[in-house]
Amino acid sequence: MDPLLGDCSLEVLRQRRSWKWMRFPPDVIPAWLAEMDFDLAEPVKEAVRAVISSSDAGYSRPQPDGFGEAYAAFAAQQWCWAPDPGRVFAVPDVMTGIAEVLYATTPHGSGVVLSPPIYPPFFFRLRLANRKIIEAPMRRHAGGRYQLDPQAIDAALARPDAAAYLLCSPHNPTGRVWSRDDLTMVASLCDRHGAVLLVDEIHAPLALPGVRHIPFLSLGLDPDLARRTFTFTSASKGWNTPGLKCGLAVVERPEAAAVLAERWEALLPSHLGAQATIAAFRDGLPWLDAVRGQLDDNRALTGKLLATHLPSVGYQPPEASFLAWLDCTALGLDDPVAHFLHRAKVAVNRGLDYGEPGRGFVRLNMGTSPDMLQEILRRMGSSIGAL
């Protein structure tokens, strides 16, 4: 493993006090919450040290100096896309940004279309925002590969109460990176139905070798659709900083920018998080490259370990990020998560939390060392063998 990523032994990781490591007893390996086990990038550490050492722990400015420029330079280098730095807004996190934009752009009680299986907080936060959830489930092909369903999305957006579509790109939990055709289809349907379009690109920095993430706003949208399109991202997944509380909202048109600007008091990020985010996008590429290389190795290793220890479990290697979406239906378990927790001492996520299409699945976090990944899947396999 690259030295930049540090020591991911259980002895070292058990010293952490974040929710991932404190929720379960010490004999359980936590492979559930979407944060990686690697050391933080040195530029991020330096930025945090500088803030703390100067006792600079006050409120952030709504638009921190250099914030939009750091992201725009990263986007240009990674995706050949140059967003206007003045239309890159700091927000506390992606979900807060999404909720605030929905408050501003959709009627109370209106519907938001989702394509499950999908990130569980979408369900929770939309209901908390008094928005109805309209499902347009993805298609799953025989080999386990998922695809957006144009007919389902079209039918959902055609409902009179549908006001918005929320796209996860790259997708959590399946790890799909959507093609230009996929994104153009979504744009066309939202344009036709007059829907607000919200795009969660939080996993975009972690697109893995063999695919290319396409930022939604790089498509060259029709001006009318661009006025109601908002994309959200963060350094929190790519550089493992969710506890620092800072995300980004990016827009193309002044009308969309005005929505964010007028809600600035509800969207103030952490000052510490904003400075760490600037450092990550500006100076954190060597560390990010090391992470992507390790995750590329880990997704292949996961396939090999499943073939050895859990050959009946379905697995389609993700195209982005560090999450493995495992089809456990063939195991015949009433509750795979409870089984792996109590019999294997491994904590994973329940597939049903991602919507009805996730029934019988679990989500496994493989953002760790190869040794830890081997121990996790060895334990899970042994627990099935013991049956």
Side-chain angles (χ1 to χ4, degrees), residues 31-112:
W32 64 289
L33 199 60
E35 62 185 64
M36 298 181 286
D37 291 342
F38 309 126
D39 275 3
L40 291 180
E42 194 57 36
V44 171
K45 290 183 181 180
E46 289 175 359
V48 172
R49 290 189 196 107
V51 171
I52 298 302
S53 64
S54 60
S55 299
D56 186 22
Y59 292 106
S60 173
R61 295 175 60 190
Q63 290 293 86
D65 289 344
F67 190 85
E69 288 79 5
Y71 177 72
F74 176 81
Q77 195 274 341
Q78 293 289 294
W79 307 309
C80 300
W81 171 55
D84 179 349
R87 292 182 180 162
V88 177
F89 292 80
V91 298
D93 53 62
V94 165
M95 286 308 309
T96 299
I98 288 171
E100 289 297 327
V101 167
L102 283 173
Y103 289 138
T105 61
T106 63
H108 183 89
S110 61
V112 179

Side-chain angles (χ1 to χ4, degrees), residues 301-346:
L301 178 60
T302 297
K304 294 175 182 176
L305 292 170
L306 286 169
T308 300
H309 299 294
L310 290 162
S312 62
V313 168
Y315 167 66
Q316 182 75 225
E319 297 167 329
S321 205
F322 49 89
L323 305 170
W325 185 236
L326 305 181
D327 181 357
C328 298
T329 52
L331 297 178
L333 301 173
D334 291 335
D335 187 344
V337 169
H339 171 88
F340 290 129
L341 179 61
H342 298 298
R343 298 293 187 92
K345 301 300 180 182
V346 172

